[in-house]
Amino acid sequence: MMINNLTMRLYDINTERALLGSILLEGKLFEEVNGIINETDFYQKSHRIIFRCYKRLFTENKSIDMVIMVEMLHRVKLLDAIGGATYLTYLINNVPTTANLHQYVKIIKDYSYKRAVFSKINKFSTENIDTQKLVNDIVSIKKYEEIKEKTNKDIILETISDAQKGTDFKFPENFEGLNKITGGFDRGDLIIIGGYPSNGKTSMCIDLTIGFCGEFDYKVLYVTLEMTVKANMRRILARTQEINTMKFRHGNLDDTDRNAIKNMIPQIENIWKYNCVRAYTMQDITRAMANYEPDIVIIDYLQNIADPENLSEYARLTKFTLQIQQMARKKDVATILLSQFHRPQEGRIREPRNNDFRGSGSIEERAEMIFLIYWERKLKMESLSRQDGDDPEYAIINVTKNKDGETGRVEMKLYPEYHKWVSFNDNKDGKDVIKYKNAKEESEKSKYSRR
């Protein structure tokens, strides 16, 4: 880098040491800088190597500490390149305080920005680059912006501005009933969708995902802790093309189905901002959030998150719900979290309530909004069988918590074979819903007609 006598003002080795030493002292601090600080932000080569190792350990879901770092650097033959284990000890011993971690980040990012600018200027002077290109190149360099405390005046003015534009996100058109009750939702919100097992939670989120991506162009990350990524895509294709999901499972797709699916590839691949990842732990979820930086993340579902600490179900779900809420706010990402109820006892099936959540009362406490799904006919007729062309099922989405206002019930038409949810007032299909009491009455009628 030809920065001549300006070089001495473009890095701070002590600050780089303080940041790396802080993480070595408290490995969990890496999560706070991951995605903000990059390997290239460090001036000293040995510091880049150390940070790269931190990232690798984090990606592999391993602890970051002195012993593991020495073993890893030795294994990849880089221990001597950083000055040996002695240098790692030196980093730890020279940390003024880990409490200033974010100040260290700011200093390192500022110097990294200055080096990038001067690098462009040097290239301009040595390679006869066009002046306008130099300006464009410098403008394109992202500068780190520290989050600053806001004054009351700033907050009031932002409140007025927010009121004029409404919420950050809306629900898709077929879920207009949710918009009428809630007004939509904001970045940082935690929305919990609850329901009994196999009662439509994932199906609803598949339909929401399609609307978020296709109708609004939101960037959506679907984190599945139950299905495979391929199974998730199968449901999306079933919904968008109205192909019965069982045709995929039985291998009964015909040429028309296959052509319709292939025609969806450009839209999903090039237009939608959609990613789906399989996860097992909170670390997996955190990494996916950092990698894809979504507007909305859907986590399917809470009770399936693995816990290496072997805590009780109550403690485990309380911990994960709090972590997910904090992650939503810290990353400024709207988060939809699915959560199961205990399976109802036979003869005691009723509409779900907030206190039915399996495992922890904190699930209800942490949410900005709670939606409870109730598909009565499915619960009371577990051997329910459906065919293409059947009338839609009757389902209820009950908004039981809404931090800023109304609660209430939203009636829906559900085609479970397509994972398709339709507003109850949408009569385009010309079909009536099937309710449990209707099915029961029909059964009674047929019984008497046979006598």
Side-chain angles (χ1 to χ4, degrees):
M1 187 182 293
M2 298 177 60
I3 301 177
N4 302 323
N5 60 355
L6 292 172
T7 303
M8 291 301 294
R9 289 186 285 156
L10 297 180
Y11 63 89
D12 185 333
I13 297 300
N14 286 331
T15 302
E16 292 186 7
R17 288 170 177 158
L19 184 139
L20 293 172
S22 296
I23 296 172
L24 204 51
L25 274 170
E26 300 178 31
K28 290 185 178 180
L29 291 178
F30 183 81
E31 292 184 23
E32 297 189 26
V33 303
N34 187 32
I36 300 174
I37 285 281
N38 300 303
E39 176 187 333
T40 54
D41 290 322
F42 292 90
Y43 180 80
Q44 188 163 299
K45 183 179 178 181
S46 61
H47 293 170
R48 295 179 192 169
I49 293 171
I50 292 169
F51 190 81
R52 191 190 315 148
C53 289
Y54 287 169
K55 189 146 195 167
R56 180 171 171 181
L57 289 172
F58 179 76
T59 303
E60 294 175 357
N61 198 21
K62 295 178 181 176
S63 299
I64 298 173
D65 63 29
M66 181 73 173
V67 174
I68 294 175
M69 276 292 293
V70 170
E71 191 278 329
M72 180 182 187
L73 287 163
H74 178 74
R75 189 174 69 251
V76 297
K77 296 182 172 55
L78 287 173
L79 188 58
D80 290 340
I82 63 116
T86 304
Y87 189 68
L88 294 178
T89 304
Y90 177 75
L91 292 179
I92 291 174
N93 292 336
N94 282 272
V95 176
T97 173
T98 60
N100 290 338
L101 180 74
H102 292 285
Q103 187 62 27
Y104 304 151
V105 169
K106 181 180 182 303
I107 294 170
I108 292 170
K109 292 295 288 188
D110 283 346
Y111 279 121
S112 178
Y113 173 78
K114 290 174 184 176
R115 290 198 301 273
V117 170
F118 277 106
S119 177
K120 296 293 184 185
I121 293 172
N122 283 332
K123 196 171 183 181
F124 169 75
S125 62
T126 58
E127 299 182 16
N128 297 320
I129 294 173
D130 177 74
T131 305
Q132 186 58 49
K133 185 178 185 313
L134 172 65
V135 172
N136 292 340
D137 286 349
I138 291 176
V139 169
S140 69
I141 300 172
K142 288 186 179 181
K143 190 170 184 179
Y144 173 66
E145 296 182 7
E146 186 182 18
I147 298 174
K148 297 180 179 178
E149 295 293 329
K150 296 176 182 176
T151 65
N152 288 331
K153 178 182 176 182
D154 293 334
I155 296 170
I156 291 169
L157 292 175
E158 284 187 16
T159 301
I160 294 172
S161 175
D162 288 346
Q164 289 175 323
K165 71 179 178 61
T167 53
D168 294 328
F169 304 108
K170 298 294 182 185
F171 293 100
E173 185 178 3
N174 50 325
F175 293 95
E176 185 57 32
L178 293 179
N179 286 325
K180 288 180 180 177
I181 292 176
T182 66
F185 56 103
D186 289 317
R187 291 184 177 277
D189 280 354
L190 174 60
I191 301 169
I192 294 182
I193 298 179
Y196 295 113
S198 302
N199 217 226
K201 298 183 297 299
T202 298
S203 175
M204 177 181 170
C205 285
I206 291 293
D207 210 342
L208 285 173
T209 297
I210 292 166
F212 289 150
C213 293
E215 192 176 322
F216 295 112
D217 198 34
Y218 300 149
K219 190 174 182 182
V220 179
L221 171 64
Y222 200 111
V223 179
T224 173
L225 292 112
E226 183 176 33
M227 298 185 296
T228 64
V229 173
K230 186 167 65 173
N232 208 66
M233 180 59 74
R234 187 165 58 213
R235 294 183 180 207
I236 287 176
L237 295 172
R239 170 63 180 95
T240 56
Q241 304 308 309
E242 291 200 15
I243 300 172
N244 194 311
T245 306
M246 296 309 295
K247 293 184 75 173
F248 291 88
R249 299 185 68 86
H250 291 311
N252 293 338
L253 295 179
D254 56 31
D255 289 342
T256 302
D257 297 330
R258 283 189 284 271
N259 289 332
I261 290 169
K262 288 177 181 177
N263 288 336
M264 276 298 297
I265 293 175
Q267 181 174 351
I268 296 176
E269 180 71 15
N270 302 319
I271 299 176
W272 285 11
K273 298 171 184 174
Y274 162 78
N275 288 285
C276 180
V277 298
R278 183 75 186 268
Y280 301 92
T281 65
M282 273 302 304
Q283 288 83 355
D284 294 337
I285 296 171
T286 303
R287 278 195 295 273
M289 292 275 284
N291 288 338
Y292 295 106
E293 299 180 341
D295 298 317
I296 301 169
V297 61
I298 298 172
I299 302 173
D300 183 4
Y301 59 93
L302 174 64
Q303 284 77 12
N304 262 10
I305 302 175
D307 178 33
E309 296 182 43
N310 210 18
L311 299 173
S312 68
E313 184 178 48
Y314 182 89
R316 180 171 63 89
L317 299 183
T318 297
K319 179 180 76 171
F320 291 149
T321 306
L322 175 60
Q323 288 178 345
I324 290 168
Q325 180 200 42
Q326 291 174 335
M327 181 175 64
R329 292 179 180 174
K330 183 177 177 181
K331 300 287 187 182
D332 206 24
V333 173
T335 302
I336 297 175
L337 173 63
L338 278 63
S339 182
Q340 277 198 359
F341 298 144
H342 288 290
R343 190 174 293 277
Q345 295 179 4
E346 189 175 350
R348 295 188 179 181
I349 295 172
R350 54 163 173 75
E351 286 197 37
R353 304 165 187 162
N354 288 350
N355 60 6
D356 288 327
F357 280 113
R358 201 181 102 198
S360 175
S362 69
I363 297 172
E364 176 185 355
E365 294 169 9
R366 299 294 175 189
E368 273 73 35
M369 297 179 194
I370 295 177
F371 303 156
L372 305 184
I373 298 174
Y374 184 51
W375 176 10
E376 182 183 26
R377 199 167 93 97
K378 178 65 166 61
L379 281 170
K380 293 182 176 179
M381 301 174 64
E382 291 194 352
S383 60
L384 183 67
S385 176
R386 289 185 54 85
Q387 304 296 323
D388 289 328
D390 283 353
D391 287 342
E393 299 287 333
Y394 176 70
I396 295 169
I397 303 172
N398 195 0
V399 182
T400 58
K401 182 178 180 181
N402 179 15
K403 64 172 183 178
D404 287 328
E406 297 179 43
T407 56
R409 292 152 55 98
V410 178
E411 296 178 299
M412 299 291 294
K413 298 176 181 179
L414 169 61
Y415 295 86
E417 59 273 19
Y418 310 132
H419 311 285
K420 178 181 177 181
W421 293 68
V422 180
S423 170
F424 191 76
N425 297 321
D426 185 343
N427 296 316
K428 293 175 191 169
D429 56 13
K431 293 177 178 288
D432 295 323
V433 294
I434 307 174
K435 295 185 178 181
Y436 175 70
K437 64 178 182 180
N438 294 346
K440 189 174 181 181
E441 288 167 3
E442 288 300 318
S443 176
E444 289 297 318
K445 287 178 184 176
S446 63
K447 181 172 70 174
Y448 289 122
S449 66
R450 288 196 298 269
R451 291 182 177 179

